[in-house]
Amino acid sequence: MSDAALPIPASPEADILSALGARSIVLVGMMGVGKSTIGRRMAARLKLPFIDADTEIEAAAGMTIPEIFERHGEAHFRDGEARVIARLLEGGPVVLATGGGAFMREETRTRIAAKAVSIWLRADHDVIMRRVRRRADRPLLQTADPEGTVTRLLTEREPIYGKADLTIASRDVPHDKIVEECIETLHAHLCGEQSAPPPADVASALR
């Protein structure tokens, strides 16, 4: 048999793409959990376009997200965010990273459920605080007590994030390890295979 006649070996990535069809992969979770970093690497693995919803919102508005918050308020921003995500979901399949508050809107959750597979990147309070301290462009953290704000947001949002199709623990390990866990979990979810038990550090992070 010539090399040309040999079947192309299956791969988890090819299986995922086939099972997705026109659906996208949407990453949800708090600021600082690594949605953009992990999403970009996952998109490269799957050979899909990567889109950051916040970047698209800024392009559509012609101003930065802090400027939108300052000039128009959070409610105006959330309305625009919902419209942009709805548009992006029509153009799948892509890997889409959403802002921390996007999944809180029921209309957006319903659209994501219909058009995508959602993954909650879950990180604990200390990991999030360590990461968000590095950046000064988080409108919701421009308060006298950023740590208290993160605690409040986690309390409000985690039950809603838990409605995502899949949950992956975001923690301080190499990014590619998290990406690999996303691929394995997606493959098990979409292709009906039993996933292996998570590594000990994942299991403990999810407790």
Side-chain angles (χ1 to χ4, degrees):
M1 183 184 285
S2 70
D3 288 347
L6 288 171
I8 298 170
S11 69
E13 291 85 355
D15 291 345
I16 289 167
L17 287 174
S18 176
L20 274 176
R23 289 179 295 171
S24 292
I25 297 166
V26 175
L27 299 178
V28 305
M30 281 285 287
M31 62 189 91
V33 298
K35 297 182 297 274
S36 295
T37 305
I38 300 303
R40 198 169 277 110
R41 292 178 184 224
M42 198 188 326
R45 281 277 299 269
L46 294 169
K47 296 183 170 54
L48 288 174
F50 170 76
I51 301 178
D52 187 305
D54 283 353
T55 302
E56 294 292 317
I57 292 161
E58 291 183 334
M63 62 182 86
T64 67
I65 288 173
E67 286 170 343
I68 299 170
F69 267 75
E70 185 179 347
R71 295 184 194 179
H72 302 291
E74 184 176 358
H76 178 91
F77 168 76
R78 295 298 174 199
D79 288 343
E81 178 178 54
R83 286 194 301 272
V84 167
I85 289 173
R87 169 172 57 81
L88 295 172
L89 288 172
E90 292 300 324
V94 300
V95 176
L96 174 63
T98 60
F103 203 62
M104 302 301 289
R105 195 172 182 127
E106 185 176 3
E107 163 196 1
T108 297
R109 288 198 304 277
T110 301
R111 279 209 174 92
I112 289 172
K115 299 279 188 180
V117 177
S118 51
I119 301 176
W120 173 23
L121 289 183
R122 180 183 180 187
D124 66 29
H125 178 277
D126 292 345
V127 170
I128 291 170
M129 283 310 302
R130 216 166 32 246
R131 293 175 181 176
V132 299
R133 281 195 188 103
R134 301 172 195 159
R135 289 176 53 178
D137 61 346
R138 311 280 192 181
L140 294 181
L141 295 187
Q142 304 309 307
T143 67
D145 182 16
E147 194 153 340
T149 300
V150 167
T151 300
R152 176 179 60 78
L153 289 172
L154 278 170
T155 302
E156 290 172 0
R157 291 177 174 181
E158 286 208 326
I160 305 298
Y161 291 150
K163 296 175 185 283
D165 296 312
L166 305 169
T167 301
I168 297 291
S170 175
R171 60 231 187 264
D172 290 332
V173 298
H175 290 131
D176 285 338
K177 181 174 174 60
I178 306 289
V179 172
E180 184 61 37
E181 288 168 13
C182 288
I183 296 289
E184 289 173 0
T185 306
L186 269 170
H187 189 263
H189 175 72
L190 290 168
C191 305
E193 292 184 8
Q194 292 297 313
S195 56
D201 61 335
V202 182
S204 62
L206 289 172
R207 284 195 192 111

